[in-house]
Amino acid sequence: MDEFYAFFGGAFMLRAALAGAAAAALAGPLGCFALWRRMAYLGDATAHAALLGVALGLIFSLPIWIGAFFVAFAVATGAGLLAISGRLAPDAALGALSHAALAIALVAVSLAGFGAPDLEAYLFTGDPLAASPSEIGAYAAAAFVGLTLIVWFWRRLLNSTLSPELAAAEGDRPRLAQIALMIALAIYVALAMRLVGLLLATALLILPAAAARPLSSRPEMMAAIASMLGVAGTALGLAASAHFDTPTGPSMVTALFVFFALIVGLDALRRRL
Amino acid sequence: MALSLATASAAPDLAASAPLIVAHNVSAKGDHGETILRGVNLTIARGEIVTIVGPNGGGKTTLTRCLIGARPISAGRVERAHGLRVGYAPQKLAVDRVMPLDVDGFLALGARSTRRQREQALDRVGALRLARRQLADLSGGETQRALLARALLRAPNLLALDEPTRGLDQQGVAEFYRMLAEIRSAEAELSVLLVSHDLTVVMAASDRVLCVNGHICCAGAPEDVETHPEYRKLIGAEDADALAVYQHHHDHTHQAVGRR
């Protein structure tokens, strides 16, 4: 056990590794849906909007993750409703809502007397090394809830992704599954905020799923491989950040990008031959 | 044969003479509140083959989806028989290459089933060899077969097929109707609701034809509809696409025609 600790550079490193594993496990299947449903931008925009949640948390002394979760969920579903109403195209609705939330967050924090540095860790780098043991427990529980939601609605989500009209004809009610997916996304945003920062949240979502695609022939397989790549990539990034003394979150994303580039590059090469 | 057994077990729920679907004065609106259908009354009896023809944008797909409950209606009422099981094949299925999914997996998403049942369903549509193929790699005709197999796997008593021969060449169209006839002869209780552009072929295969353009312009046995003035008027106004297909059949009877 001591050697294990030593490898990770101590208990706080192990906790950071666990935090990375929890977020990456959820990011696997969620990232697959982000690719399949073309909602990478949704992930990006909700993550940016979640900064408003951080600001509200700071101002009202609430746990930051609660603010981030609810604002992410509200923006994701709100943009969906705005798009359904036909008033704006989905990407425009999302862009309008999420970046308004981001701007309001910066204004509110400044009005409340906080400085921009208070937000920076949440926006740019995350801070997984500061996670306390109880925080890790909450982290794992949240990831478990998100994963359970996705597994529970798996068939319905896949069917509504493939063909909403076919799903409706077969008696599926896609609304509930959609809400479940948005809840899972909001949970993920709150986790990723602590791990890699809101700016990089989408990278951790998309890269493992995209890297898993050439290795998979079934959707379940792609989700599982994405989770495994994510867990391995975050651990590797963490070890590298300790070794090279680089920021943790960005190191994790860089490690995931290396996986992605290797797999996709080799796959392209294989197709050539 | 597992599939027909499953159909038989669903059948006792239905009163022998009761129609499968009855639509009373059904209207439907589009996303922006525009009227697509108004005042549609119709009945689909058990074992009946009903075909919907009409111009593009006339509401054929909307009517089909209202009837099977896949779409809300804005006025009227649709009664569906207790125990109605719909197997639906939409007009098209756009599968992105980014989703890895083979045909067997696609069928498994449609109904809880064993691999053997899925193979049987594929075999019935002559597509057994497609089981391990990726959905995104299929041609138009192969996709239609996969959709039909998924619909059959649900052991339906109503098969709703929306332009199942869209994009097929002449031979493919003929093959498709031969296949449909075989499926039907194995299960005489099976009703079929068909949306189609293949006017001449469809007319021969149907018990009843509905001509739809915002409402039901005319309806009846194929030979009656063919001579109905409303139908003749509509065919005159038929879009160029359908006319092209129609004339195509006359021009190229001996040549293989490429898929669109």
Side-chain angles (χ1 to χ4, degrees), chain A residues 8 12-24 124-131 136 139 188 191-197 200-201 203-205 207-208 229-242 244 246-260:
Chain A
F8 279 109
F12 68 96
M13 286 291 279
L14 182 60
R15 287 201 292 273
L18 289 175
F124 291 119
T125 57
D127 194 8
L129 298 179
I136 294 302
Y139 225 90
Y188 168 74
L191 294 183
M193 169 182 76
R194 201 81 165 98
L195 193 68
V196 294
L200 292 178
L204 184 55
L205 195 64
L207 286 173
L229 285 175
V231 172
T234 48
L236 182 68
L238 184 65
S241 82
F244 299 110
T246 49
T248 317
S251 303
M252 288 176 172
V253 173
T254 306
L256 286 170
F257 178 74
V258 171
F259 283 4
F260 165 79

Side-chain angles (χ1 to χ4, degrees), chain A residues 21-44:
Chain A
L26 175 58
L30 196 61
C32 289
F33 279 110
L35 291 187
W36 298 334
R37 296 168 82 103
R38 304 192 168 280
M39 45 176 232
Y41 182 64
L42 177 74
D44 217 25

Side-chain angles (χ1 to χ4, degrees), chain A residues 31-251:
Chain A
C32 289
F33 279 110
L35 291 187
W36 298 334
R37 296 168 82 103
R38 304 192 168 280
M39 45 176 232
Y41 182 64
L42 177 74
D44 217 25
T46 42
H48 294 173
L51 197 69
L52 179 59
V54 176
L56 294 175
L58 282 178
I59 292 167
F60 297 108
S61 313
L62 286 167
I64 300 294
W65 66 267
I66 291 186
F69 169 81
F70 281 106
V71 171
F73 179 69
V75 167
T77 44
L81 292 176
L82 204 60
I84 289 170
S85 77
R87 269 172 243 287
L88 279 177
D91 58 342
L94 206 51
L97 272 188
S98 77
H99 294 103
L102 185 63
I104 293 168
L106 294 169
V107 169
V109 162
S110 141
L111 282 178
F114 292 95
D118 296 308
L119 291 181
E120 264 171 20
Y122 295 102
L123 196 51
F124 291 119
T125 57
D127 194 8
L129 298 179
S132 67
S134 65
E135 231 178 310
I136 294 302
Y139 225 90
F144 181 75
V145 170
L147 272 175
T148 306
L149 281 173
I150 293 182
V151 170
W152 184 265
F153 288 102
W154 181 257
R155 232 176 76 130
R156 271 181 270 184
L157 283 170
L158 272 183
N159 273 327
S160 74
T161 304
L162 271 170
S163 167
E165 56 263 48
L166 185 55
E170 290 176 350
D172 279 354
R173 295 288 166 263
R175 194 56 60 83
L176 203 59
Q178 223 132 9
I179 291 172
L181 190 66
M182 291 306 118
I183 292 176
L185 178 67
I187 290 176
Y188 168 74
V189 165
L191 294 183
M193 169 182 76
R194 201 81 165 98
L195 193 68
V196 294
L198 293 170
L199 208 57
L200 292 178
T202 318
L204 184 55
L205 195 64
I206 299 301
L207 286 173
R213 172 62 187 96
L215 307 176
S216 320
S217 58
R218 287 223 173 188
E220 303 77 34
M221 197 173 160
M222 181 163 154
I225 293 177
S227 286
M228 288 188 274
L229 285 175
V231 172
T234 48
L236 182 68
L238 184 65
S241 82
H243 190 261
F244 299 110
D245 194 23
T246 49
T248 317
S251 303

Side-chain angles (χ1 to χ4, degrees), chain A residues 38 159 170 213 218-219, chain B residues 96-97 100 104 109 134 150:
Chain A
R38 304 192 168 280
N159 273 327
E170 290 176 350
R213 172 62 187 96
R218 287 223 173 188
Chain B
D96 200 303
R97 195 162 292 279
D104 183 66
L109 282 173
Q134 287 287 306
R150 174 162 162 158

Side-chain angles (χ1 to χ4, degrees), chain B:
Chain B
M1 172 139 179
L3 283 166
S4 43
L5 274 180
T7 309
S9 70
D13 289 351
L14 304 166
S17 58
L20 276 181
I21 296 179
V22 185
H24 302 278
N25 221 3
V26 167
S27 298
K29 285 188 159 62
D31 291 338
H32 306 288
E34 76 280 15
T35 299
I36 301 177
L37 287 173
R38 62 200 133 82
V40 172
N41 291 294
L42 76 91
T43 301
I44 298 176
R46 284 214 284 160
E48 195 179 24
I49 300 185
V50 177
T51 298
I52 301 175
V53 298
N56 275 347
K60 302 190 295 289
T61 296
T62 303
L63 176 56
T64 307
R65 297 183 56 206
C66 287
L67 290 175
I68 63 177
R71 186 189 197 292
I73 58 178
S74 59
R77 194 157 46 94
V78 179
E79 286 168 21
R80 295 182 197 89
H82 185 65
L84 172 71
R85 276 189 70 83
V86 178
Y88 176 60
Q91 216 174 85
K92 54 184 186 297
L93 183 73
V95 183
D96 200 303
R97 195 162 292 279
V98 79
M99 186 190 281
L101 182 63
D102 59 17
V103 172
D104 183 66
F106 175 66
L107 262 58
L109 282 173
R112 282 183 206 290
S113 52
T114 63
R115 172 163 302 183
R116 170 130 185 76
Q117 286 170 321
R118 296 196 289 275
E119 282 173 357
Q120 278 175 343
L122 280 172
D123 199 25
R124 287 178 82 185
V125 300
L128 193 52
R129 72 200 158 75
L130 297 182
R132 290 287 147 219
R133 288 267 301 279
Q134 287 287 306
L135 211 54
D137 293 338
L138 301 185
S139 71
E142 289 168 338
T143 304
Q144 286 300 343
R145 281 170 197 251
L147 283 167
L148 184 56
R150 174 162 162 158
L152 287 173
L153 189 62
R154 294 173 60 80
N157 36 34
L158 174 68
L159 206 49
L161 311 176
D162 193 348
E163 294 199 30
T165 57
R166 200 178 131 108
L168 298 190
D169 59 30
Q170 189 186 348
Q171 199 186 343
V173 172
E175 228 170 85
F176 177 84
Y177 284 105
R178 202 159 44 235
M179 194 166 71
L180 193 60
E182 268 168 35
I183 290 166
R184 267 272 308 175
S185 68
E187 287 176 54
E189 292 287 273
L190 183 66
S191 300
V192 182
L193 178 63
L194 198 64
V195 175
S196 186
H197 266 307
D198 312 309
L199 302 166
T200 43
V201 201
V202 155
M203 292 296 198
S206 313
D207 297 323
R208 206 145 52 90
V209 175
L210 306 171
C211 196
V212 174
N213 187 16
H215 64 290
I216 295 187
C217 305
C218 55
E223 54 275 18
D224 297 337
V225 170
E226 237 170 342
T227 54
H228 196 286
E230 280 280 343
Y231 172 77
R232 297 211 158 263
K233 208 168 80 193
L234 259 186
I235 294 314
E238 186 77 16
D239 58 290
D241 183 30
L243 275 179
V245 171
Y246 190 75
Q247 288 169 352
H248 212 106
H249 290 251
H250 288 276
D251 290 343
H252 291 75
T253 36
H254 304 295
Q255 269 171 255
V257 181
R259 289 202 165 93
R260 196 168 56 159

